[in-house]
């Protein structure tokens, strides 16, 4: 009896996951389960490089433009919903395919979410009020003092991450980082992780050209439509926050575009730093398709053609 298997295709932004994933999905005749925390929201298709409508018509995608911008969503929500889909797909197929670059979402499916305490309403209101009155920089510096491990790990430009870490600290008296690193949860299927990577210079060039292509596709107009909702967590992300500075008159458009490229490079480096700690990942250049197929063949996924 074939071993039920989840293939996880991962890598930094702009590396070439979408094209490789679609080729894999077509070869295996299976859908794609998206693991990108921003592509799940509606109306952000250009800035998040979501699969095109043509690609979605070719291959069924889960978790692409399914949520309204103001919908609360978390890695824990994703874990529950993604596992339900994976388990269902594995009753119909021997293989399921998960792909993306959101580290927490990938870890949620492969390892399980750490058991983080629930925050009481009083603390939640207090930290929210402090964010509004004192600003993000004050809370960021406070987190650096009380929980340096979390400070050095999370996206410091994401207010929600900082606020949540402080909520946990003031609710429990313990650092958010102290609740992390719990034992890995066992899944009822085998997991094969395939990582795509490129030399830094090559990846950074692709980031630059993709940013220019996004602008040509209408990123500026998309961001302008989303500008009234800029306070929402879904839009606290590279590609939009920089253009919001331009709309506010704080930056020129050329400067905002360069900041998008720079901040995307920073994010890509952060992704690779995270992934390098995972020894279960087999790494390939996107051009090494034959080697990827050979690995899957060795694992009994499908014969080489």
């Amino acid at each position: 009896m074939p071993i039920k298997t989840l293939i996880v295709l991962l890598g930094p932004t702009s590396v070439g996951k979408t094209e490789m994933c679609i080729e894999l999905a077509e070869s295996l005749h299976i859908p794609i389960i998206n693991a990108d925390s921003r592509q799940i929201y509606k109306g952000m298709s250009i800035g998040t490089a979501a699969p095109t409508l043509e690609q979605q018509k070719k291959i069924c995608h889960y978790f692409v433009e399914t949520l309204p911008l103001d919908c609360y969503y978390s890695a824990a929500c994703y874990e529950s919903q993604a596992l339900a889909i994976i388990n269902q797909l594995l009753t119909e197929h021997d293989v399921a395919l998960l792909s993306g670059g959101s580290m927490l979402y990938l870890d949620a499916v492969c390892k399980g979410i750490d058991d983080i305490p629930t925050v009481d309403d009083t603390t939640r209101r207090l930290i929210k009020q402090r964010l509004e009155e004192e600003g993000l920089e004050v809370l960021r510096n406070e987190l650096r003092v009380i929980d340096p491990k979390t400070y050095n790990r999370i996206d410091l430009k994401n207010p929600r991450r900082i606020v949540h870490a402080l909520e946990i600290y003031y609710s429990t008296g313990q650092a958010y980082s102290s609740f992390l690193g719990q034992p890995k949860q066992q899944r009822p299927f085998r997991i094969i992780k395939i990582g795509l990577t490129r030399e830094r210079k090559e990846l950074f060039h692709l980031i630059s050209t993709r940013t220019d292509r996004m602008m040509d596709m209408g990123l500026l107009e998309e961001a302008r439509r989303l500008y009234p909702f800029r306070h929402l967590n879904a839009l606290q992300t590279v590609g939009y926050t920089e253009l919001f500075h331009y709309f506010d008159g704080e930056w020129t458009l050329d400067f905002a575009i360069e900041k998008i490229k720079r901040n995307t490079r920073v994010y890509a480096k952060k992704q690779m730093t995270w992934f390098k700690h995972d020894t279960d990942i087999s790494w390939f250049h996107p051009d090494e398709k034959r080697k990827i197929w050979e690995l899957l063949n060795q694992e009994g996924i499908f014969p080489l053609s």
Side-chain angles (χ1 to χ4, degrees):
M1 182 176 179
I3 302 173
K4 298 295 183 176
T5 303
L6 175 67
I7 299 174
V8 179
L9 183 70
L10 54 83
T13 183
S14 303
V15 76
K17 296 185 295 295
T18 299
E19 294 77 10
M20 179 68 70
C21 197
I22 287 176
E23 190 169 341
L24 271 174
E26 287 184 313
S27 299
L28 295 168
H29 307 292
I30 56 175
I32 296 170
I33 304 161
N34 178 53
D36 185 296
S37 65
R38 289 299 183 264
Q39 289 180 4
I40 197 169
Y41 291 104
K42 296 178 181 178
M44 300 171 61
S45 59
I46 299 175
T48 62
T52 65
L53 291 177
E54 182 180 352
Q55 290 169 329
Q56 292 184 58
K57 288 179 181 178
K58 185 181 295 186
I59 297 291
C60 172
H61 286 71
Y62 292 95
F63 300 107
V64 174
E65 294 198 81
T66 57
L67 294 180
L69 289 171
D70 60 351
C71 181
Y72 171 79
Y73 203 71
S74 67
C77 296
Y78 180 78
E79 177 188 12
S80 174
Q81 295 178 1
L83 285 176
I85 290 173
I86 292 167
N87 289 327
Q88 176 59 41
L89 290 175
L90 289 179
T91 66
E92 306 165 9
H93 310 274
D94 293 328
V95 180
L97 178 59
L98 178 78
S99 179
S102 293
M103 297 86 79
L104 289 177
Y105 279 29
L106 293 167
D107 278 358
V109 170
C110 296
K111 303 176 182 179
I113 288 289
D114 290 302
D115 187 14
I116 306 298
T118 301
V119 177
D120 62 271
D121 291 339
T122 301
T123 301
R124 194 182 301 278
R125 286 194 298 269
L126 174 63
I127 302 301
K128 181 181 179 181
Q129 181 180 353
R130 288 192 56 203
L131 175 64
E132 294 172 351
E133 295 178 354
E134 301 175 38
L136 183 61
E137 184 64 24
V138 171
L139 299 188
R140 186 186 291 133
N141 289 332
E142 187 171 320
L143 180 63
R144 179 171 55 84
V145 174
I146 64 177
D147 189 358
K149 288 185 178 179
T150 297
Y151 178 87
N152 291 323
R153 183 183 177 93
I154 65 172
D155 179 3
L156 296 174
K157 294 183 179 180
N158 189 330
R160 183 164 164 247
R161 300 287 184 214
I162 295 170
V163 165
H164 186 54
L166 291 175
E167 288 174 345
I168 294 298
Y169 176 78
Y170 286 110
S171 287
T172 67
Q174 295 177 249
Y176 177 78
S177 56
S178 69
F179 295 99
L180 305 180
Q182 297 175 15
K184 177 181 176 181
Q185 296 186 25
Q186 297 300 311
R187 302 305 189 195
F189 45 78
R190 175 178 60 163
I191 298 175
I192 297 175
K193 296 181 180 179
I194 297 172
L196 299 184
T197 186
R198 296 178 186 267
E199 292 294 331
R200 178 175 292 196
K201 184 177 180 180
E202 181 186 16
L203 180 63
F204 286 3
H205 174 71
L206 287 174
I207 287 172
S208 180
T209 56
R210 188 176 79 165
T211 301
D212 291 336
R213 187 166 64 251
M214 285 177 171
M215 293 302 296
D216 292 339
M217 291 171 62
L219 177 58
L220 185 65
E221 291 74 21
E222 181 178 82
R224 197 182 300 277
R225 289 196 303 272
L226 297 171
Y227 182 65
F229 311 103
R230 62 191 182 279
H231 61 284
L232 296 176
N233 179 67
L235 292 167
Q236 307 303 310
T237 191
V238 177
Y240 298 102
T241 56
E242 296 85 357
L243 291 177
F244 293 160
H245 282 296
Y246 164 64
F247 297 147
D248 287 334
E250 299 171 3
W251 294 350
T252 66
L253 181 57
D254 287 344
F255 184 77
I257 293 171
E258 286 306 311
K259 290 289 281 187
I260 292 174
K261 294 177 181 180
R262 178 188 178 279
N263 291 337
T264 305
R265 292 194 298 268
V266 170
Y267 180 59
K269 288 188 285 186
K270 184 176 180 179
Q271 287 174 299
M272 287 306 299
T273 298
W274 182 293
F275 292 141
K276 283 178 181 177
H277 294 297
D278 191 339
T279 57
D280 293 332
I281 302 173
S282 298
W283 289 101
F284 302 91
H285 188 281
D287 292 340
E288 296 179 310
K289 295 179 182 178
R290 183 71 180 181
K291 291 184 178 180
I292 294 175
W293 259 245
E294 288 174 352
L295 170 66
L296 295 176
N297 176 251
Q298 292 168 8
E299 296 292 346
I301 302 301
F302 54 64
L304 290 169
S305 57

